[in-house]
Amino acid sequence: MPIIRDEAKRKEIVDLLTTAYWMEIETVQNYIANSVNLDGVRAEEIKKSLAADVTEELGHAQQFAQRVKTLYGKVPGSRDFKPSQPFLQPPADTTDVAAVIKGVIQAEQGAIDHYMKIIKVTAEADPVTADMVTTILADEEGHMRMFEGFLKEYEKK
Ligand SMILES: [Fe+2]
Ligand SMILES: [Fe+2]
């Protein structure tokens, strides 16, 4: 007996969760790179913050993967990966901390938008997914708010 009886709905949810999984994986890649590449005194706090977020985003990826499995989906391998964060590539100028902060804000906003959509789609059909994604959404809102604060300081100087 399937967990979600409406097969089209189940497939829609698995696809949304798979997209979320890839978003988290790509965020991990770019947060690692940016947490290492940046140079300068002003970069240190940003690097520390990004390095800490890597662990959280990886945890999110694992939760999305587990939910895909529970809903009878299959977690894809790297061959299916398609990048979608041109805005979060390490800047040519390794002291351009503001560019990284803006990229992080865009990535977090993208995650927030996608997770809001998942919550909307699953609210009635799949409350367990809605609940899980609501908790993850709270993390992303915290990340975004923090980086908006960093940007405020950077634009003042
Ligand atoms: Fe995340
Ligand atoms: Fe995040």
Side-chain angles (χ1 to χ4, degrees):
M1 187 66 75
I3 292 168
I4 295 167
R5 288 160 191 266
D6 180 340
E7 175 56 15
K9 190 76 176 177
R10 184 198 64 82
K11 204 182 166 309
E12 182 189 7
I13 295 167
V14 166
D15 286 348
L16 287 167
L17 290 169
T18 303
T19 297
Y21 169 74
W22 284 130
M23 289 167 79
E24 296 287 354
I25 292 290
E26 189 172 11
T27 297
V28 166
Q29 294 181 50
N30 288 322
Y31 282 13
I32 289 175
N34 285 308
S35 74
V36 170
N37 288 338
L38 285 174
D39 287 313
V41 176
R42 294 166 76 202
E44 282 311 305
E45 285 305 315
I46 305 301
K47 290 168 73 173
K48 255 187 262 172
S49 181
L50 281 175
D53 284 354
V54 164
T55 312
E56 276 195 51
E57 311 296 11
L58 185 60
H60 295 163
Q62 288 176 304
Q63 288 184 72
F64 282 119
Q66 188 57 57
R67 192 64 190 153
V68 164
K69 170 72 173 171
T70 301
L71 295 179
Y72 311 99
K74 191 175 179 196
V75 183
S78 59
R79 198 164 51 189
D80 292 341
F81 177 70
K82 288 184 198 74
S84 63
Q85 294 181 341
F87 51 84
L88 199 54
Q89 301 306 302
D93 174 0
T94 59
T95 63
D96 192 354
V97 180
V100 171
I101 295 173
K102 285 176 188 164
V104 169
I105 291 170
Q106 194 171 338
E108 297 291 345
Q109 183 65 65
I112 287 166
D113 293 344
H114 186 62
Y115 302 168
M116 292 264 199
K117 184 182 173 185
I118 296 178
I119 292 163
K120 214 177 212 173
V121 167
T122 55
E124 286 189 13
D126 180 5
V128 173
T129 292
D131 182 64
M132 183 191 90
V133 177
T134 300
T135 303
I136 294 173
L137 175 64
D139 289 344
E140 312 302 13
E141 288 179 353
H143 297 158
M144 182 160 130
R145 191 64 192 89
M146 187 163 63
F147 276 80
E148 281 180 340
F150 291 150
L151 187 62
K152 189 176 177 185
E153 187 186 15
Y154 271 76
E155 287 184 330
K156 207 160 118 186
K157 283 175 187 168

